[in-house]
Amino acid sequence: MSVTERIEELRSLLAPARREGRSIGFVPTMGYLHAGHLTLMQRAREENDVVVASIFVNPLQFGPKEDYQRYPRDLARDAELAREAGVDFIFAPSVEEMYPQEMLAQVDVARITDRLEGAARPGHFRGVATVVAKLFNIVQPDRAYFGQKDYQQLLVIRRMVRDLSYPIEVVAVPTVREEDGLAMSSRNSYLNPQERQAATVLIRALRLGRERIESGERNAQRVRTAMQELIAQEPLARLEYLSIADPETLREQETITAPAFLSLAVFIGKTRLIDNLLIETL
Ligand code: PAF
């Protein structure tokens, strides 16, 4: 496995594979890898001749009050884990390599970024779409792998790929969870033991919502209220948003119809966590 910081070097390393018509799978990450990332890498390994992973904590997608500075970083550990997962090339650029000057060209995906994470984190998806567009141009993969935990990000990338005609298949991979249901996230490393316990409130609320729907409740507001009440019982949790929406448009549902997309963002102490469940049939 090779690790490079340089755009030009990665291009040269990938040139032979491209010339020989070998397929390239790409897993973009911000590093501090966990089992969720490794699942994406293993899937890319199964489906492609060559696997590239990027590790780049992208400043463009963090708001001024967010955790860009303290976001966990450990390239040596990540490189070892990625190698074990079958990655061939790691691209780990510096901020100067990716953004040597102010980025006057950025990618905006309209409308589906107005809600949920887009509303809570202004500018976030512009930063994500811009870095992913740039990474796609650098790596030029045949397939790119994204986790369903960041479901809205997946919608944004899919739409960008379609609208801008990237010849890339976007592959969605189910969320990987800890035994108690907490979705894997690099940000879980911020949680102290009490907070880690409290963080299960996200999946408990989502499962409660699903149970209510499965037992016949069709009034979305009543389901939201039940979920909010459960979260309110957890003293370390502060709900930011909770949504039952159409999974394509992300518009809120009044009467629940399938498919329904349940999602939420909750602060556990100072750590902001997100999670979601998709209900495909009723
Ligand atoms: O999901 C992430 O880790 C990031 O948003 C991504 C896709 C690597 C872009 O920085």
Side-chain angles (χ1 to χ4, degrees), residues 80-112:
E80 188 46 32
L81 290 170
R83 195 185 55 72
E84 285 166 18
V87 169
D88 300 303
F89 300 103
I90 288 190
F91 177 51
S94 62
V95 174
E96 295 68 37
E97 179 73 2
M98 284 295 273
Y99 305 133
Q101 53 187 356
E102 189 188 347
M103 287 290 281
L104 299 185
Q106 299 210 18
V107 181
D108 251 318
V109 178
R111 289 220 286 279
I112 49 170

PDB file of all heavy atoms in Angstrom, residues 80-112:
ATOM      1  N   GLU A  80      -2.584   1.766   8.795  1.00  0.00           N
ATOM      2  CA  GLU A  80      -2.521   0.348   9.136  1.00  0.00           C
ATOM      3  C   GLU A  80      -3.904  -0.312   8.946  1.00  0.00           C
ATOM      4  O   GLU A  80      -4.013  -1.387   8.341  1.00  0.00           O
ATOM      5  CB  GLU A  80      -2.027   0.213  10.595  1.00  0.00           C
ATOM      6  CG  GLU A  80      -1.726  -1.178  11.066  1.00  0.00           C
ATOM      7  CD  GLU A  80      -0.889  -2.011  10.084  1.00  0.00           C
ATOM      8  OE1 GLU A  80      -0.042  -1.428   9.368  1.00  0.00           O
ATOM      9  OE2 GLU A  80      -1.135  -3.242  10.017  1.00  0.00           O
ATOM     10  N   LEU A  81      -4.936   0.352   9.442  1.00  0.00           N
ATOM     11  CA  LEU A  81      -6.291  -0.208   9.325  1.00  0.00           C
ATOM     12  C   LEU A  81      -6.716  -0.311   7.857  1.00  0.00           C
ATOM     13  O   LEU A  81      -7.316  -1.309   7.436  1.00  0.00           O
ATOM     14  CB  LEU A  81      -7.292   0.662  10.098  1.00  0.00           C
ATOM     15  CG  LEU A  81      -7.160   0.619  11.622  1.00  0.00           C
ATOM     16  CD1 LEU A  81      -8.040   1.693  12.272  1.00  0.00           C
ATOM     17  CD2 LEU A  81      -7.552  -0.770  12.149  1.00  0.00           C
ATOM     18  N   ALA A  82      -6.393   0.720   7.093  1.00  0.00           N
ATOM     19  CA  ALA A  82      -6.784   0.726   5.672  1.00  0.00           C
ATOM     20  C   ALA A  82      -6.049  -0.390   4.924  1.00  0.00           C
ATOM     21  O   ALA A  82      -6.628  -1.069   4.075  1.00  0.00           O
ATOM     22  CB  ALA A  82      -6.472   2.087   5.055  1.00  0.00           C
ATOM     23  N   ARG A  83      -4.766  -0.573   5.260  1.00  0.00           N
ATOM     24  CA  ARG A  83      -4.000  -1.633   4.604  1.00  0.00           C
ATOM     25  C   ARG A  83      -4.650  -2.989   4.887  1.00  0.00           C
ATOM     26  O   ARG A  83      -4.873  -3.785   3.989  1.00  0.00           O
ATOM     27  CB  ARG A  83      -2.557  -1.613   5.129  1.00  0.00           C
ATOM     28  CG  ARG A  83      -1.578  -2.417   4.288  1.00  0.00           C
ATOM     29  CD  ARG A  83      -0.198  -2.448   4.917  1.00  0.00           C
ATOM     30  NE  ARG A  83      -0.207  -2.949   6.291  1.00  0.00           N
ATOM     31  CZ  ARG A  83      -0.399  -4.215   6.645  1.00  0.00           C
ATOM     32  NH1 ARG A  83      -0.561  -5.130   5.724  1.00  0.00           N
ATOM     33  NH2 ARG A  83      -0.420  -4.570   7.916  1.00  0.00           N
ATOM     34  N   GLU A  84      -5.027  -3.196   6.162  1.00  0.00           N
ATOM     35  CA  GLU A  84      -5.675  -4.476   6.524  1.00  0.00           C
ATOM     36  C   GLU A  84      -7.006  -4.659   5.786  1.00  0.00           C
ATOM     37  O   GLU A  84      -7.413  -5.773   5.492  1.00  0.00           O
ATOM     38  CB  GLU A  84      -5.921  -4.546   8.030  1.00  0.00           C
ATOM     39  CG  GLU A  84      -4.659  -4.821   8.818  1.00  0.00           C
ATOM     40  CD  GLU A  84      -4.842  -4.554  10.310  1.00  0.00           C
ATOM     41  OE1 GLU A  84      -5.994  -4.480  10.785  1.00  0.00           O
ATOM     42  OE2 GLU A  84      -3.812  -4.402  11.002  1.00  0.00           O
ATOM     43  N   ALA A  85      -7.675  -3.536   5.501  1.00  0.00           N
ATOM     44  CA  ALA A  85      -8.975  -3.632   4.817  1.00  0.00           C
ATOM     45  C   ALA A  85      -8.804  -3.782   3.306  1.00  0.00           C
ATOM     46  O   ALA A  85      -9.792  -3.879   2.577  1.00  0.00           O
ATOM     47  CB  ALA A  85      -9.819  -2.404   5.136  1.00  0.00           C
ATOM     48  N   GLY A  86      -7.558  -3.775   2.833  1.00  0.00           N
ATOM     49  CA  GLY A  86      -7.317  -4.051   1.410  1.00  0.00           C
ATOM     50  C   GLY A  86      -7.155  -2.817   0.534  1.00  0.00           C
ATOM     51  O   GLY A  86      -7.228  -2.919  -0.694  1.00  0.00           O
ATOM     52  N   VAL A  87      -6.917  -1.653   1.148  1.00  0.00           N
ATOM     53  CA  VAL A  87      -6.721  -0.424   0.360  1.00  0.00           C
ATOM     54  C   VAL A  87      -5.338  -0.477  -0.300  1.00  0.00           C
ATOM     55  O   VAL A  87      -4.358  -0.910   0.308  1.00  0.00           O
ATOM     56  CB  VAL A  87      -6.848   0.812   1.291  1.00  0.00           C
ATOM     57  CG1 VAL A  87      -6.392   2.086   0.592  1.00  0.00           C
ATOM     58  CG2 VAL A  87      -8.286   0.943   1.779  1.00  0.00           C
ATOM     59  N   ASP A  88      -5.262  -0.035  -1.555  1.00  0.00           N
ATOM     60  CA  ASP A  88      -3.976  -0.014  -2.279  1.00  0.00           C
ATOM     61  C   ASP A  88      -3.264   1.325  -2.147  1.00  0.00           C
ATOM     62  O   ASP A  88      -2.051   1.370  -2.067  1.00  0.00           O
ATOM     63  CB  ASP A  88      -4.211  -0.298  -3.765  1.00  0.00           C
ATOM     64  CG  ASP A  88      -4.846  -1.656  -3.998  1.00  0.00           C
ATOM     65  OD1 ASP A  88      -4.254  -2.654  -3.563  1.00  0.00           O
ATOM     66  OD2 ASP A  88      -5.950  -1.703  -4.590  1.00  0.00           O
ATOM     67  N   PHE A  89      -4.051   2.410  -2.194  1.00  0.00           N
ATOM     68  CA  PHE A  89      -3.454   3.748  -2.166  1.00  0.00           C
ATOM     69  C   PHE A  89      -4.208   4.630  -1.183  1.00  0.00           C
ATOM     70  O   PHE A  89      -5.442   4.699  -1.237  1.00  0.00           O
ATOM     71  CB  PHE A  89      -3.541   4.411  -3.547  1.00  0.00           C
ATOM     72  CG  PHE A  89      -2.837   3.645  -4.621  1.00  0.00           C
ATOM     73  CD1 PHE A  89      -3.563   2.886  -5.532  1.00  0.00           C
ATOM     74  CD2 PHE A  89      -1.451   3.656  -4.721  1.00  0.00           C
ATOM     75  CE1 PHE A  89      -2.922   2.157  -6.528  1.00  0.00           C
ATOM     76  CE2 PHE A  89      -0.796   2.941  -5.716  1.00  0.00           C
ATOM     77  CZ  PHE A  89      -1.537   2.184  -6.618  1.00  0.00           C
ATOM     78  N   ILE A  90      -3.444   5.302  -0.330  1.00  0.00           N
ATOM     79  CA  ILE A  90      -4.066   6.309   0.534  1.00  0.00           C
ATOM     80  C   ILE A  90      -3.632   7.678   0.039  1.00  0.00           C
ATOM     81  O   ILE A  90      -2.439   7.920  -0.183  1.00  0.00           O
ATOM     82  CB  ILE A  90      -3.638   6.135   1.998  1.00  0.00           C
ATOM     83  CG1 ILE A  90      -4.310   4.895   2.568  1.00  0.00           C
ATOM     84  CG2 ILE A  90      -4.026   7.353   2.835  1.00  0.00           C
ATOM     85  CD1 ILE A  90      -4.166   4.758   4.054  1.00  0.00           C
ATOM     86  N   PHE A  91      -4.601   8.539  -0.133  1.00  0.00           N
ATOM     87  CA  PHE A  91      -4.320   9.924  -0.492  1.00  0.00           C
ATOM     88  C   PHE A  91      -4.609  10.755   0.753  1.00  0.00           C
ATOM     89  O   PHE A  91      -5.759  10.822   1.200  1.00  0.00           O
ATOM     90  CB  PHE A  91      -5.222  10.334  -1.661  1.00  0.00           C
ATOM     91  CG  PHE A  91      -5.066  11.763  -2.078  1.00  0.00           C
ATOM     92  CD1 PHE A  91      -3.808  12.298  -2.345  1.00  0.00           C
ATOM     93  CD2 PHE A  91      -6.182  12.588  -2.223  1.00  0.00           C
ATOM     94  CE1 PHE A  91      -3.659  13.628  -2.734  1.00  0.00           C
ATOM     95  CE2 PHE A  91      -6.048  13.902  -2.611  1.00  0.00           C
ATOM     96  CZ  PHE A  91      -4.784  14.431  -2.869  1.00  0.00           C
ATOM     97  N   ALA A  92      -3.563  11.336   1.333  1.00  0.00           N
ATOM     98  CA  ALA A  92      -3.722  12.096   2.585  1.00  0.00           C
ATOM     99  C   ALA A  92      -3.093  13.482   2.396  1.00  0.00           C
ATOM    100  O   ALA A  92      -1.990  13.742   2.888  1.00  0.00           O
ATOM    101  CB  ALA A  92      -3.060  11.342   3.726  1.00  0.00           C
ATOM    102  N   PRO A  93      -3.776  14.342   1.665  1.00  0.00           N
ATOM    103  CA  PRO A  93      -3.173  15.640   1.333  1.00  0.00           C
ATOM    104  C   PRO A  93      -3.217  16.601   2.508  1.00  0.00           C
ATOM    105  O   PRO A  93      -4.024  16.452   3.427  1.00  0.00           O
ATOM    106  CB  PRO A  93      -4.084  16.155   0.211  1.00  0.00           C
ATOM    107  CG  PRO A  93      -5.428  15.556   0.532  1.00  0.00           C
ATOM    108  CD  PRO A  93      -5.139  14.199   1.131  1.00  0.00           C
ATOM    109  N   SER A  94      -2.356  17.607   2.458  1.00  0.00           N
ATOM    110  CA  SER A  94      -2.441  18.705   3.417  1.00  0.00           C
ATOM    111  C   SER A  94      -3.507  19.681   2.909  1.00  0.00           C
ATOM    112  O   SER A  94      -3.943  19.611   1.749  1.00  0.00           O
ATOM    113  CB  SER A  94      -1.097  19.433   3.489  1.00  0.00           C
ATOM    114  OG  SER A  94      -0.824  19.984   2.209  1.00  0.00           O
ATOM    115  N   VAL A  95      -3.884  20.617   3.773  1.00  0.00           N
ATOM    116  CA  VAL A  95      -4.839  21.652   3.354  1.00  0.00           C
ATOM    117  C   VAL A  95      -4.218  22.474   2.214  1.00  0.00           C
ATOM    118  O   VAL A  95      -4.897  22.815   1.233  1.00  0.00           O
ATOM    119  CB  VAL A  95      -5.214  22.557   4.556  1.00  0.00           C
ATOM    120  CG1 VAL A  95      -6.085  23.727   4.116  1.00  0.00           C
ATOM    121  CG2 VAL A  95      -5.943  21.735   5.611  1.00  0.00           C
ATOM    122  N   GLU A  96      -2.910  22.734   2.290  1.00  0.00           N
ATOM    123  CA  GLU A  96      -2.236  23.537   1.249  1.00  0.00           C
ATOM    124  C   GLU A  96      -2.251  22.811  -0.095  1.00  0.00           C
ATOM    125  O   GLU A  96      -2.358  23.443  -1.143  1.00  0.00           O
ATOM    126  CB  GLU A  96      -0.772  23.834   1.635  1.00  0.00           C
ATOM    127  CG  GLU A  96      -0.602  24.715   2.864  1.00  0.00           C
ATOM    128  CD  GLU A  96      -1.045  24.037   4.167  1.00  0.00           C
ATOM    129  OE1 GLU A  96      -0.835  22.805   4.325  1.00  0.00           O
ATOM    130  OE2 GLU A  96      -1.612  24.734   5.032  1.00  0.00           O
ATOM    131  N   GLU A  97      -2.142  21.484  -0.050  1.00  0.00           N
ATOM    132  CA  GLU A  97      -2.160  20.731  -1.308  1.00  0.00           C
ATOM    133  C   GLU A  97      -3.554  20.800  -1.954  1.00  0.00           C
ATOM    134  O   GLU A  97      -3.685  20.967  -3.156  1.00  0.00           O
ATOM    135  CB  GLU A  97      -1.776  19.268  -1.019  1.00  0.00           C
ATOM    136  CG  GLU A  97      -1.781  18.352  -2.217  1.00  0.00           C
ATOM    137  CD  GLU A  97      -0.614  18.587  -3.181  1.00  0.00           C
ATOM    138  OE1 GLU A  97       0.240  19.456  -2.904  1.00  0.00           O
ATOM    139  OE2 GLU A  97      -0.575  17.912  -4.224  1.00  0.00           O
ATOM    140  N   MET A  98      -4.589  20.686  -1.111  1.00  0.00           N
ATOM    141  CA  MET A  98      -5.959  20.700  -1.658  1.00  0.00           C
ATOM    142  C   MET A  98      -6.412  22.117  -1.995  1.00  0.00           C
ATOM    143  O   MET A  98      -7.081  22.334  -2.995  1.00  0.00           O
ATOM    144  CB  MET A  98      -6.935  20.087  -0.642  1.00  0.00           C
ATOM    145  CG  MET A  98      -6.863  18.584  -0.559  1.00  0.00           C
ATOM    146  SD  MET A  98      -7.378  17.770  -2.087  1.00  0.00           S
ATOM    147  CE  MET A  98      -9.150  17.660  -1.834  1.00  0.00           C
ATOM    148  N   TYR A  99      -6.052  23.056  -1.125  1.00  0.00           N
ATOM    149  CA  TYR A  99      -6.548  24.425  -1.313  1.00  0.00           C
ATOM    150  C   TYR A  99      -5.379  25.412  -1.254  1.00  0.00           C
ATOM    151  O   TYR A  99      -5.243  26.147  -0.269  1.00  0.00           O
ATOM    152  CB  TYR A  99      -7.563  24.766  -0.213  1.00  0.00           C
ATOM    153  CG  TYR A  99      -8.731  23.794  -0.086  1.00  0.00           C
ATOM    154  CD1 TYR A  99      -9.122  23.302   1.168  1.00  0.00           C
ATOM    155  CD2 TYR A  99      -9.449  23.380  -1.201  1.00  0.00           C
ATOM    156  CE1 TYR A  99     -10.192  22.427   1.297  1.00  0.00           C
ATOM    157  CE2 TYR A  99     -10.511  22.490  -1.078  1.00  0.00           C
ATOM    158  CZ  TYR A  99     -10.876  22.018   0.166  1.00  0.00           C
ATOM    159  OH  TYR A  99     -11.931  21.164   0.292  1.00  0.00           O
ATOM    160  N   PRO A 100      -4.536  25.419  -2.299  1.00  0.00           N
ATOM    161  CA  PRO A 100      -3.377  26.322  -2.260  1.00  0.00           C
ATOM    162  C   PRO A 100      -3.797  27.785  -2.326  1.00  0.00           C
ATOM    163  O   PRO A 100      -3.020  28.670  -1.949  1.00  0.00           O
ATOM    164  CB  PRO A 100      -2.553  25.927  -3.487  1.00  0.00           C
ATOM    165  CG  PRO A 100      -3.490  25.177  -4.373  1.00  0.00           C
ATOM    166  CD  PRO A 100      -4.555  24.590  -3.510  1.00  0.00           C
ATOM    167  N   GLN A 101      -4.977  28.054  -2.804  1.00  0.00           N
ATOM    168  CA  GLN A 101      -5.483  29.427  -2.788  1.00  0.00           C
ATOM    169  C   GLN A 101      -6.977  29.380  -2.467  1.00  0.00           C
ATOM    170  O   GLN A 101      -7.576  28.310  -2.451  1.00  0.00           O
ATOM    171  CB  GLN A 101      -5.232  30.105  -4.127  1.00  0.00           C
ATOM    172  CG  GLN A 101      -5.752  29.314  -5.297  1.00  0.00           C
ATOM    173  CD  GLN A 101      -5.367  29.898  -6.652  1.00  0.00           C
ATOM    174  OE1 GLN A 101      -4.754  30.953  -6.724  1.00  0.00           O
ATOM    175  NE2 GLN A 101      -5.746  29.218  -7.700  1.00  0.00           N
ATOM    176  N   GLU A 102      -7.543  30.548  -2.244  1.00  0.00           N
ATOM    177  CA  GLU A 102      -8.968  30.619  -1.906  1.00  0.00           C
ATOM    178  C   GLU A 102      -9.775  29.906  -3.000  1.00  0.00           C
ATOM    179  O   GLU A 102      -9.500  30.090  -4.191  1.00  0.00           O
ATOM    180  CB  GLU A 102      -9.369  32.094  -1.841  1.00  0.00           C
ATOM    181  CG  GLU A 102     -10.753  32.303  -1.296  1.00  0.00           C
ATOM    182  CD  GLU A 102     -11.189  33.771  -1.440  1.00  0.00           C
ATOM    183  OE1 GLU A 102     -10.320  34.622  -1.722  1.00  0.00           O
ATOM    184  OE2 GLU A 102     -12.382  34.035  -1.281  1.00  0.00           O
ATOM    185  N   MET A 103     -10.747  29.106  -2.579  1.00  0.00           N
ATOM    186  CA  MET A 103     -11.539  28.334  -3.543  1.00  0.00           C
ATOM    187  C   MET A 103     -12.659  29.207  -4.099  1.00  0.00           C
ATOM    188  O   MET A 103     -13.739  29.309  -3.508  1.00  0.00           O
ATOM    189  CB  MET A 103     -12.135  27.108  -2.860  1.00  0.00           C
ATOM    190  CG  MET A 103     -11.127  26.035  -2.552  1.00  0.00           C
ATOM    191  SD  MET A 103     -10.511  25.228  -4.036  1.00  0.00           S
ATOM    192  CE  MET A 103     -11.878  24.125  -4.391  1.00  0.00           C
ATOM    193  N   LEU A 104     -12.405  29.810  -5.251  1.00  0.00           N
ATOM    194  CA  LEU A 104     -13.449  30.645  -5.855  1.00  0.00           C
ATOM    195  C   LEU A 104     -14.482  29.778  -6.568  1.00  0.00           C
ATOM    196  O   LEU A 104     -15.629  30.181  -6.722  1.00  0.00           O
ATOM    197  CB  LEU A 104     -12.819  31.647  -6.830  1.00  0.00           C
ATOM    198  CG  LEU A 104     -11.833  32.630  -6.192  1.00  0.00           C
ATOM    199  CD1 LEU A 104     -11.355  33.655  -7.209  1.00  0.00           C
ATOM    200  CD2 LEU A 104     -12.455  33.348  -4.995  1.00  0.00           C
ATOM    201  N   ALA A 105     -14.083  28.593  -6.991  1.00  0.00           N
ATOM    202  CA  ALA A 105     -15.020  27.663  -7.626  1.00  0.00           C
ATOM    203  C   ALA A 105     -15.476  26.654  -6.582  1.00  0.00           C
ATOM    204  O   ALA A 105     -14.660  25.908  -6.040  1.00  0.00           O
ATOM    205  CB  ALA A 105     -14.332  26.942  -8.779  1.00  0.00           C
ATOM    206  N   GLN A 106     -16.757  26.682  -6.286  1.00  0.00           N
ATOM    207  CA  GLN A 106     -17.291  25.705  -5.327  1.00  0.00           C
ATOM    208  C   GLN A 106     -18.555  25.081  -5.910  1.00  0.00           C
ATOM    209  O   GLN A 106     -19.152  25.630  -6.830  1.00  0.00           O
ATOM    210  CB  GLN A 106     -17.591  26.391  -3.996  1.00  0.00           C
ATOM    211  CG  GLN A 106     -16.324  26.991  -3.383  1.00  0.00           C
ATOM    212  CD  GLN A 106     -16.344  27.017  -1.863  1.00  0.00           C
ATOM    213  OE1 GLN A 106     -17.109  26.316  -1.219  1.00  0.00           O
ATOM    214  NE2 GLN A 106     -15.491  27.834  -1.290  1.00  0.00           N
ATOM    215  N   VAL A 107     -18.965  23.943  -5.353  1.00  0.00           N
ATOM    216  CA  VAL A 107     -20.128  23.220  -5.888  1.00  0.00           C
ATOM    217  C   VAL A 107     -21.298  23.347  -4.920  1.00  0.00           C
ATOM    218  O   VAL A 107     -21.171  23.003  -3.743  1.00  0.00           O
ATOM    219  CB  VAL A 107     -19.795  21.725  -6.107  1.00  0.00           C
ATOM    220  CG1 VAL A 107     -20.997  20.992  -6.677  1.00  0.00           C
ATOM    221  CG2 VAL A 107     -18.592  21.579  -7.023  1.00  0.00           C
ATOM    222  N   ASP A 108     -22.401  23.846  -5.439  1.00  0.00           N
ATOM    223  CA  ASP A 108     -23.622  23.994  -4.644  1.00  0.00           C
ATOM    224  C   ASP A 108     -24.696  23.079  -5.187  1.00  0.00           C
ATOM    225  O   ASP A 108     -25.012  23.163  -6.365  1.00  0.00           O
ATOM    226  CB  ASP A 108     -24.136  25.430  -4.801  1.00  0.00           C
ATOM    227  CG  ASP A 108     -23.952  26.220  -3.545  1.00  0.00           C
ATOM    228  OD1 ASP A 108     -24.211  25.664  -2.465  1.00  0.00           O
ATOM    229  OD2 ASP A 108     -23.560  27.389  -3.658  1.00  0.00           O
ATOM    230  N   VAL A 109     -25.255  22.244  -4.350  1.00  0.00           N
ATOM    231  CA  VAL A 109     -26.406  21.437  -4.758  1.00  0.00           C
ATOM    232  C   VAL A 109     -27.610  22.063  -4.060  1.00  0.00           C
ATOM    233  O   VAL A 109     -27.660  22.095  -2.825  1.00  0.00           O
ATOM    234  CB  VAL A 109     -26.214  19.955  -4.348  1.00  0.00           C
ATOM    235  CG1 VAL A 109     -27.422  19.123  -4.730  1.00  0.00           C
ATOM    236  CG2 VAL A 109     -24.944  19.389  -4.996  1.00  0.00           C
ATOM    237  N   ALA A 110     -28.544  22.585  -4.847  1.00  0.00           N
ATOM    238  CA  ALA A 110     -29.640  23.371  -4.276  1.00  0.00           C
ATOM    239  C   ALA A 110     -30.729  22.472  -3.679  1.00  0.00           C
ATOM    240  O   ALA A 110     -30.724  21.253  -3.858  1.00  0.00           O
ATOM    241  CB  ALA A 110     -30.237  24.260  -5.371  1.00  0.00           C
ATOM    242  N   ARG A 111     -31.654  23.139  -2.995  1.00  0.00           N
ATOM    243  CA  ARG A 111     -32.907  22.555  -2.464  1.00  0.00           C
ATOM    244  C   ARG A 111     -32.747  21.403  -1.489  1.00  0.00           C
ATOM    245  O   ARG A 111     -33.121  21.543  -0.336  1.00  0.00           O
ATOM    246  CB  ARG A 111     -33.840  22.157  -3.616  1.00  0.00           C
ATOM    247  CG  ARG A 111     -34.420  23.382  -4.302  1.00  0.00           C
ATOM    248  CD  ARG A 111     -35.854  23.167  -4.640  1.00  0.00           C
ATOM    249  NE  ARG A 111     -36.040  22.270  -5.751  1.00  0.00           N
ATOM    250  CZ  ARG A 111     -35.930  22.618  -7.032  1.00  0.00           C
ATOM    251  NH1 ARG A 111     -35.652  23.861  -7.367  1.00  0.00           N
ATOM    252  NH2 ARG A 111     -36.132  21.729  -7.961  1.00  0.00           N
ATOM    253  N   ILE A 112     -32.176  20.243  -1.912  1.00  0.00           N
ATOM    254  CA  ILE A 112     -32.071  19.142  -0.937  1.00  0.00           C
ATOM    255  C   ILE A 112     -31.087  19.476   0.183  1.00  0.00           C
ATOM    256  O   ILE A 112     -30.997  18.764   1.168  1.00  0.00           O
ATOM    257  CB  ILE A 112     -31.672  17.775  -1.570  1.00  0.00           C
ATOM    258  CG1 ILE A 112     -30.469  17.931  -2.490  1.00  0.00           C
ATOM    259  CG2 ILE A 112     -32.842  17.137  -2.274  1.00  0.00           C
ATOM    260  CD1 ILE A 112     -29.906  16.594  -2.945  1.00  0.00           C
TER     261      ILE A 112
END
